[in-house]
PDB file of all heavy atoms in Angstrom:
ATOM      1  N   ALA A  78      52.554 163.568 146.403  1.00  0.00           N
ATOM      2  CA  ALA A  78      52.135 162.212 146.352  1.00  0.00           C
ATOM      3  C   ALA A  78      52.576 161.456 147.502  1.00  0.00           C
ATOM      4  O   ALA A  78      51.733 160.513 147.934  1.00  0.00           O
ATOM      5  CB  ALA A  78      52.905 161.565 145.030  1.00  0.00           C
ATOM      6  N   ILE A  79      53.847 161.708 148.079  1.00  0.00           N
ATOM      7  CA  ILE A  79      54.146 161.020 149.350  1.00  0.00           C
ATOM      8  C   ILE A  79      53.190 161.393 150.414  1.00  0.00           C
ATOM      9  O   ILE A  79      52.776 160.652 151.158  1.00  0.00           O
ATOM     10  CB  ILE A  79      55.612 161.227 149.642  1.00  0.00           C
ATOM     11  CG1 ILE A  79      56.548 160.586 148.546  1.00  0.00           C
ATOM     12  CG2 ILE A  79      55.934 160.893 151.003  1.00  0.00           C
ATOM     13  CD1 ILE A  79      57.976 160.988 148.614  1.00  0.00           C
ATOM     14  N   ASP A  80      52.981 162.670 150.628  1.00  0.00           N
ATOM     15  CA  ASP A  80      52.157 163.227 151.650  1.00  0.00           C
ATOM     16  C   ASP A  80      50.749 162.650 151.631  1.00  0.00           C
ATOM     17  O   ASP A  80      50.244 162.486 152.719  1.00  0.00           O
ATOM     18  CB  ASP A  80      52.152 164.851 151.669  1.00  0.00           C
ATOM     19  CG  ASP A  80      53.490 165.439 152.092  1.00  0.00           C
ATOM     20  OD1 ASP A  80      54.324 164.651 152.736  1.00  0.00           O
ATOM     21  OD2 ASP A  80      53.581 166.609 151.776  1.00  0.00           O
ATOM     22  N   TYR A  81      50.306 162.661 150.449  1.00  0.00           N
ATOM     23  CA  TYR A  81      48.790 162.239 150.350  1.00  0.00           C
ATOM     24  C   TYR A  81      48.629 160.781 149.870  1.00  0.00           C
ATOM     25  O   TYR A  81      47.518 160.411 149.474  1.00  0.00           O
ATOM     26  CB  TYR A  81      48.074 163.137 149.483  1.00  0.00           C
ATOM     27  CG  TYR A  81      48.041 164.607 149.920  1.00  0.00           C
ATOM     28  CD1 TYR A  81      48.944 165.536 149.382  1.00  0.00           C
ATOM     29  CD2 TYR A  81      47.222 164.883 151.102  1.00  0.00           C
ATOM     30  CE1 TYR A  81      48.975 166.794 150.000  1.00  0.00           C
ATOM     31  CE2 TYR A  81      47.226 166.167 151.575  1.00  0.00           C
ATOM     32  CZ  TYR A  81      48.077 167.160 151.037  1.00  0.00           C
ATOM     33  OH  TYR A  81      48.048 168.394 151.651  1.00  0.00           O
ATOM     34  N   ALA A  82      49.707 159.982 150.039  1.00  0.00           N
ATOM     35  CA  ALA A  82      49.567 158.583 149.531  1.00  0.00           C
ATOM     36  C   ALA A  82      48.608 157.572 150.223  1.00  0.00           C
ATOM     37  O   ALA A  82      47.972 156.842 149.686  1.00  0.00           O
ATOM     38  CB  ALA A  82      50.933 157.968 149.617  1.00  0.00           C
ATOM     39  N   SER A  83      48.380 158.057 151.533  1.00  0.00           N
ATOM     40  CA  SER A  83      47.398 157.230 152.385  1.00  0.00           C
ATOM     41  C   SER A  83      46.143 157.858 152.506  1.00  0.00           C
ATOM     42  O   SER A  83      45.217 157.325 153.286  1.00  0.00           O
ATOM     43  CB  SER A  83      48.104 156.870 153.723  1.00  0.00           C
ATOM     44  OG  SER A  83      48.456 158.189 154.230  1.00  0.00           O
ATOM     45  N   GLU A  84      45.796 158.806 151.676  1.00  0.00           N
ATOM     46  CA  GLU A  84      44.437 159.419 151.703  1.00  0.00           C
ATOM     47  C   GLU A  84      43.342 158.517 151.467  1.00  0.00           C
ATOM     48  O   GLU A  84      42.410 158.526 152.203  1.00  0.00           O
ATOM     49  CB  GLU A  84      44.407 160.565 150.688  1.00  0.00           C
ATOM     50  CG  GLU A  84      43.178 161.448 150.686  1.00  0.00           C
ATOM     51  CD  GLU A  84      43.129 162.585 149.718  1.00  0.00           C
ATOM     52  OE1 GLU A  84      44.114 162.655 148.850  1.00  0.00           O
ATOM     53  OE2 GLU A  84      42.234 163.385 149.870  1.00  0.00           O
ATOM     54  N   LYS A  85      43.438 157.738 150.535  1.00  0.00           N
ATOM     55  CA  LYS A  85      42.346 156.672 150.244  1.00  0.00           C
ATOM     56  C   LYS A  85      42.138 155.818 151.400  1.00  0.00           C
ATOM     57  O   LYS A  85      40.969 155.500 151.751  1.00  0.00           O
ATOM     58  CB  LYS A  85      42.562 155.954 148.967  1.00  0.00           C
ATOM     59  CG  LYS A  85      42.457 156.735 147.728  1.00  0.00           C
ATOM     60  CD  LYS A  85      42.695 155.895 146.499  1.00  0.00           C
ATOM     61  CE  LYS A  85      42.730 156.859 145.276  1.00  0.00           C
ATOM     62  NZ  LYS A  85      43.145 156.134 143.924  1.00  0.00           N
ATOM     63  N   PHE A  86      43.247 155.273 151.851  1.00  0.00           N
ATOM     64  CA  PHE A  86      43.074 154.334 153.049  1.00  0.00           C
ATOM     65  C   PHE A  86      42.530 155.079 154.254  1.00  0.00           C
ATOM     66  O   PHE A  86      41.693 154.562 154.939  1.00  0.00           O
ATOM     67  CB  PHE A  86      44.564 153.811 153.421  1.00  0.00           C
ATOM     68  CG  PHE A  86      44.474 152.793 154.564  1.00  0.00           C
ATOM     69  CD1 PHE A  86      43.903 151.561 154.322  1.00  0.00           C
ATOM     70  CD2 PHE A  86      45.153 152.957 155.709  1.00  0.00           C
ATOM     71  CE1 PHE A  86      43.863 150.682 155.432  1.00  0.00           C
ATOM     72  CE2 PHE A  86      45.010 152.160 156.698  1.00  0.00           C
ATOM     73  CZ  PHE A  86      44.501 150.853 156.564  1.00  0.00           C
ATOM     74  N   ALA A  87      42.819 156.339 154.544  1.00  0.00           N
ATOM     75  CA  ALA A  87      42.374 157.060 155.643  1.00  0.00           C
ATOM     76  C   ALA A  87      40.869 157.205 155.510  1.00  0.00           C
ATOM     77  O   ALA A  87      40.095 157.144 156.419  1.00  0.00           O
ATOM     78  CB  ALA A  87      43.092 158.418 155.735  1.00  0.00           C
ATOM     79  N   LYS A  88      40.478 157.489 154.237  1.00  0.00           N
ATOM     80  CA  LYS A  88      38.994 157.702 153.853  1.00  0.00           C
ATOM     81  C   LYS A  88      38.250 156.414 154.233  1.00  0.00           C
ATOM     82  O   LYS A  88      37.084 156.431 154.869  1.00  0.00           O
ATOM     83  CB  LYS A  88      38.732 158.190 152.561  1.00  0.00           C
ATOM     84  CG  LYS A  88      38.857 159.603 152.215  1.00  0.00           C
ATOM     85  CD  LYS A  88      38.639 159.890 150.879  1.00  0.00           C
ATOM     86  CE  LYS A  88      39.004 161.432 150.562  1.00  0.00           C
ATOM     87  NZ  LYS A  88      38.740 161.835 149.166  1.00  0.00           N
ATOM     88  N   ASP A  89      38.749 155.270 153.878  1.00  0.00           N
ATOM     89  CA  ASP A  89      38.249 153.992 154.184  1.00  0.00           C
ATOM     90  C   ASP A  89      38.150 153.665 155.635  1.00  0.00           C
ATOM     91  O   ASP A  89      37.265 152.818 155.942  1.00  0.00           O
ATOM     92  CB  ASP A  89      38.924 152.884 153.405  1.00  0.00           C
ATOM     93  CG  ASP A  89      38.547 153.001 151.849  1.00  0.00           C
ATOM     94  OD1 ASP A  89      37.599 153.662 151.543  1.00  0.00           O
ATOM     95  OD2 ASP A  89      39.442 152.497 151.136  1.00  0.00           O
ATOM     96  N   LEU A  90      39.007 154.191 156.524  1.00  0.00           N
ATOM     97  CA  LEU A  90      38.934 153.936 157.871  1.00  0.00           C
ATOM     98  C   LEU A  90      37.694 154.882 158.561  1.00  0.00           C
ATOM     99  O   LEU A  90      37.483 154.589 159.730  1.00  0.00           O
ATOM    100  CB  LEU A  90      40.347 154.232 158.549  1.00  0.00           C
ATOM    101  CG  LEU A  90      41.438 153.232 158.170  1.00  0.00           C
ATOM    102  CD1 LEU A  90      42.679 153.751 158.790  1.00  0.00           C
ATOM    103  CD2 LEU A  90      41.104 151.801 158.576  1.00  0.00           C
ATOM    104  N   LEU A  91      37.296 155.720 157.878  1.00  0.00           N
ATOM    105  CA  LEU A  91      36.271 156.616 158.475  1.00  0.00           C
ATOM    106  C   LEU A  91      35.093 155.700 158.852  1.00  0.00           C
ATOM    107  O   LEU A  91      34.244 156.055 159.763  1.00  0.00           O
ATOM    108  CB  LEU A  91      35.854 157.777 157.517  1.00  0.00           C
ATOM    109  CG  LEU A  91      37.043 158.723 157.320  1.00  0.00           C
ATOM    110  CD1 LEU A  91      36.509 159.903 156.350  1.00  0.00           C
ATOM    111  CD2 LEU A  91      37.528 159.452 158.555  1.00  0.00           C
ATOM    112  N   ALA A  92      34.633 154.825 157.999  1.00  0.00           N
ATOM    113  CA  ALA A  92      33.425 154.050 158.240  1.00  0.00           C
ATOM    114  C   ALA A  92      33.520 153.203 159.613  1.00  0.00           C
ATOM    115  O   ALA A  92      32.497 153.284 160.339  1.00  0.00           O
ATOM    116  CB  ALA A  92      33.221 153.075 157.090  1.00  0.00           C
ATOM    117  N   PRO A  93      34.520 152.529 159.819  1.00  0.00           N
ATOM    118  CA  PRO A  93      34.554 151.896 161.117  1.00  0.00           C
ATOM    119  C   PRO A  93      34.524 152.790 162.348  1.00  0.00           C
ATOM    120  O   PRO A  93      34.042 152.457 163.340  1.00  0.00           O
ATOM    121  CB  PRO A  93      35.958 150.976 161.102  1.00  0.00           C
ATOM    122  CG  PRO A  93      36.305 150.990 159.748  1.00  0.00           C
ATOM    123  CD  PRO A  93      35.695 152.108 159.032  1.00  0.00           C
ATOM    124  N   ILE A  94      35.184 153.960 162.111  1.00  0.00           N
ATOM    125  CA  ILE A  94      35.226 155.018 163.236  1.00  0.00           C
ATOM    126  C   ILE A  94      33.723 155.523 163.322  1.00  0.00           C
ATOM    127  O   ILE A  94      33.312 155.593 164.602  1.00  0.00           O
ATOM    128  CB  ILE A  94      36.099 156.229 162.875  1.00  0.00           C
ATOM    129  CG1 ILE A  94      37.507 155.777 162.947  1.00  0.00           C
ATOM    130  CG2 ILE A  94      35.860 157.457 163.788  1.00  0.00           C
ATOM    131  CD1 ILE A  94      38.130 155.471 164.344  1.00  0.00           C
ATOM    132  N   ASP A  95      33.128 155.741 162.426  1.00  0.00           N
ATOM    133  CA  ASP A  95      31.547 156.150 162.411  1.00  0.00           C
ATOM    134  C   ASP A  95      30.898 155.089 163.266  1.00  0.00           C
ATOM    135  O   ASP A  95      29.964 155.375 164.107  1.00  0.00           O
ATOM    136  CB  ASP A  95      31.042 156.496 161.185  1.00  0.00           C
ATOM    137  CG  ASP A  95      31.577 157.753 160.489  1.00  0.00           C
ATOM    138  OD1 ASP A  95      32.246 158.517 161.251  1.00  0.00           O
ATOM    139  OD2 ASP A  95      31.432 157.822 159.232  1.00  0.00           O
ATOM    140  N   THR A  96      31.029 153.858 162.981  1.00  0.00           N
ATOM    141  CA  THR A  96      30.338 152.658 163.621  1.00  0.00           C
ATOM    142  C   THR A  96      30.559 152.689 165.068  1.00  0.00           C
ATOM    143  O   THR A  96      29.728 152.514 165.851  1.00  0.00           O
ATOM    144  CB  THR A  96      30.743 151.402 162.953  1.00  0.00           C
ATOM    145  OG1 THR A  96      30.645 151.442 161.427  1.00  0.00           O
ATOM    146  CG2 THR A  96      29.883 150.148 163.443  1.00  0.00           C
ATOM    147  N   LEU A  97      31.871 152.821 165.507  1.00  0.00           N
ATOM    148  CA  LEU A  97      32.246 152.933 166.844  1.00  0.00           C
ATOM    149  C   LEU A  97      31.587 154.089 167.566  1.00  0.00           C
ATOM    150  O   LEU A  97      31.058 153.987 168.733  1.00  0.00           O
ATOM    151  CB  LEU A  97      33.751 152.939 167.141  1.00  0.00           C
ATOM    152  CG  LEU A  97      34.419 151.738 166.726  1.00  0.00           C
ATOM    153  CD1 LEU A  97      36.069 151.886 166.804  1.00  0.00           C
ATOM    154  CD2 LEU A  97      34.053 150.532 167.647  1.00  0.00           C
TER     155      LEU A  97
END
Side-chain angles (χ1 to χ4, degrees):
I79 290 169
D80 288 344
Y81 296 103
S83 57
E84 180 179 10
K85 289 180 183 176
F86 184 64
K88 282 183 181 178
D89 289 336
L90 290 180
L91 296 177
I94 292 293
D95 290 342
T96 307
L97 289 171

